Amino acid sequence: MYFAALLARTQDGWQASDTELDDVETLSDLTDLAREASVDEDTVLIYIEQEDAWFGVVRVEGEEDPRIYVSDAAAAARSSYGEILTNELLGGDDDDPADDLDTLDLDGTEDGEPDGDDEEEADGELGPGGELVPAGPVGDRDILMDLGLSEKELLALDTDALLVIADAVGAADVLETVR
């Protein structure tokens, strides 16, 4: 189960709304959603969380490239919206590996030989494309620094992260109307 909220800064303060992600398939879709909510190309924060497993923040300002932070890349990479964010951050390939027959590993071995290395990676997990996805936070750790949340505070967030972020940026009151 996902929860997504959009916080848009306006001249009069912050506006909050819960956000439907049904039509979001790419980072561009997510960025377009934020830009539609923007007033005078001001800051828009999109917050996505999946059942306390991970959360992500996407910051969009005008036509600049979005800034992204994900609390746990390995957990996020196992979910559809998290995969969108981690692929962008880790340079994941958007192409379907099935499109390239040379990349297929049908029996889990190379040239039919047993792999021999069944240990899980201590520092991450293999993503859908076979790339190593690190456990722990990835992305722009200063994403909320100028809005009142330091890197140290961001890294310490776990449950109720949205409430802490909203409080730090001064949007806690408007967030209550969304939740």
Side-chain angles (χ1 to χ4, degrees):
M1 174 69 71
Y2 291 97
F3 174 77
L6 189 136
L7 299 172
R9 186 165 51 185
T10 69
Q11 214 171 9
D12 300 325
W14 290 90
Q15 293 179 348
S17 61
D18 57 346
T19 303
E20 289 295 325
L21 300 177
D22 295 340
D23 296 331
V24 172
E25 296 179 6
T26 65
L27 181 61
S28 293
D29 293 341
L30 198 57
T31 303
D32 291 343
L33 184 69
R35 288 190 177 123
E36 289 171 11
S38 177
V39 177
D40 297 327
E41 297 189 359
D42 213 338
T43 302
V44 176
L45 301 175
I46 298 176
Y47 175 89
I48 304 171
E49 106 182 348
Q50 184 183 19
E51 300 175 341
D52 294 330
W54 65 273
F55 72 88
V57 178
V58 178
R59 180 175 178 165
V60 177
E61 295 178 298
E63 293 301 316
E64 293 181 27
D65 288 339
R67 296 168 59 190
I68 304 167
Y69 172 82
V70 175
S71 65
D72 186 336
R78 292 189 300 260
S79 68
S80 57
Y81 300 117
E83 185 179 12
I84 292 170
L85 302 179
T86 57
N87 278 346
E88 179 68 23
L89 290 170
L90 301 173
D93 191 5
D94 291 331
D95 295 336
D96 184 356
D99 292 340
D100 184 1
L101 293 177
D102 293 335
T103 65
L104 291 180
D105 183 12
L106 300 176
D107 63 357
T109 62
E110 184 176 332
D111 296 330
E113 296 296 319
D115 188 3
D117 184 18
D118 292 334
E119 294 180 27
E120 285 189 32
E121 288 286 334
D123 297 324
E125 298 180 14
L126 291 180
E131 71 282 351
L132 182 65
V133 178
V138 294
D140 186 349
R141 295 177 180 191
D142 293 331
I143 191 169
L144 302 171
M145 180 85 68
D146 63 325
L147 297 175
L149 194 71
S150 71
E151 175 183 346
K152 183 178 179 180
E153 292 167 318
L154 181 64
L155 292 171
L157 293 178
D158 51 14
T159 60
D160 295 329
L162 177 58
L163 297 174
V164 174
I165 291 169
D167 188 46
V169 302
D173 292 339
V174 296
L175 181 64
E176 289 300 317
T177 62
V178 174
R179 284 216 152 180

